[in-house]
Amino acid sequence: MIAIGNFFFKYRNLLFVFLYLALFIPSDKVFSPDLLGTNYYVWPISLGLIITVLGQLIRGLTIGLAYIVRGGRDKKVYADKLVTEGIFNHCRNPLYVGNILMLLGVGILSNSLLFIAVFMPLFLFIYQAIVLAEENFLKNKFGSDFIAYCSRVNRWLINLKGLTATFKSMRFNAKRWVLKEYNTQYVWLVGIALLLLKYPEVTRNDSDLRNILIVIILTALTLIYLFVRYLKKSGNMVES
């Protein structure tokens, strides 16, 4: 598993591209009119959005409170320090938990049985392997400190105990969240907008209205993305 994790760590960013494309592969539906009636679409849209937004919220809180270097070094697992504060004090892999919820949410939103039944389990297997590879590196580098950290903090389950105290003891860095996440946010929101095209019922089967709304949403998201990118590259927005 560690060897598998080291292999996929190199390509983990491409993994998300592959998974997002998989959302649009034709598939049987999880929620259908036959099972839930004419308003069946309310279920995948509501559940999908709640779960995927929760995932992004977890990522945002994690990055805003205590950022951890995620890029590795030379496409290999690497860490220059052991980060245990912020949300990392409640879960060893909160960013990955956020990613899982984000993908699960858009999978439900896509109403794709293929994605939920095949691609999500594959994604979870790969993530487990990556985490084992990372933990093997951290154990070898930080020794007893990391072992003690593992003994008190769950790998996947977020411990809500003491979470309020954590928020009160730290300052949320909104600029860091925006600067580190604007690429992810853009791809995520564009994906959600495109997935909503699968539900003509949302605009009462008015295809012209649906197309206009999609163009407006995509244009607005792109302009915001370009503006934030400009602020970052020009140095007009920096982490405070």
Side-chain angles (χ1 to χ4, degrees), residues 186 189-190 193 212-228:
Y186 176 70
L189 290 171
V190 167
I212 291 172
L213 289 175
I214 288 296
V215 170
I216 292 174
I217 292 171
L218 293 183
T219 300
L221 290 175
T222 300
L223 290 175
I224 294 171
Y225 168 81
L226 292 174
F227 179 63
V228 174

Side-chain angles (χ1 to χ4, degrees), residues 30-31 36 40-55 101-111 199:
V30 179
F31 306 90
L36 300 169
Y40 78 96
Y41 61 92
V42 173
W43 289 95
I45 292 177
S46 300
L47 289 175
L49 288 177
I50 289 171
I51 293 172
T52 196
V53 169
L54 176 61
L101 291 175
M102 285 174 67
L103 275 175
L104 176 61
V106 292
I108 293 173
L109 181 61
S110 72
N111 202 10
Y199 301 99

Side-chain angles (χ1 to χ4, degrees), residues 98-211:
N99 288 345
I100 291 169
L101 291 175
M102 285 174 67
L103 275 175
L104 176 61
V106 292
I108 293 173
L109 181 61
S110 72
N111 202 10
S112 170
L113 180 61
L114 176 66
F115 190 88
I116 298 297
V118 177
F119 288 101
M120 275 306 301
L122 176 62
F123 176 64
L124 293 175
F125 170 79
I126 292 173
Y127 251 27
Q128 175 71 3
I130 290 175
V131 165
L132 291 177
E134 290 180 339
E135 291 188 347
N136 181 65
F137 172 88
L138 294 172
K139 183 173 66 175
N140 290 333
K141 181 165 184 175
F142 299 107
S144 59
D145 288 341
F146 181 70
I147 293 174
Y149 172 60
C150 290
S151 68
R152 65 179 180 83
V153 179
N154 299 323
R155 175 182 288 158
W156 293 112
L157 185 63
I158 298 178
N159 184 0
L160 301 180
K161 184 178 180 180
L163 199 57
T164 300
T166 296
F167 291 145
K168 289 181 178 179
S169 66
M170 303 183 72
R171 182 179 66 87
F172 181 79
N173 191 328
K175 288 184 178 179
R176 179 168 63 205
W177 170 59
V178 172
L179 293 173
K180 299 297 184 184
E181 282 287 273
Y182 75 98
N183 282 313
T184 300
Q185 291 270 16
Y186 176 70
V187 174
W188 174 62
L189 290 171
V190 167
I192 289 174
L194 293 177
L195 287 173
L196 288 175
L197 286 173
K198 301 180 71 172
Y199 301 99
E201 299 90 348
V202 172
T203 55
R204 299 181 184 276
N205 295 301
D206 186 335
S207 58
D208 291 335
L209 175 59
R210 181 186 63 177
N211 293 337

Side-chain angles (χ1 to χ4, degrees), residues 58 61-62 65-66 85-91 94 158 163 166-167:
I58 292 172
L61 291 174
T62 301
L65 291 179
E85 64 267 22
I87 306 301
F88 291 98
N89 191 41
H90 301 269
C91 176
I158 298 178
L163 199 57
T166 296
F167 291 145

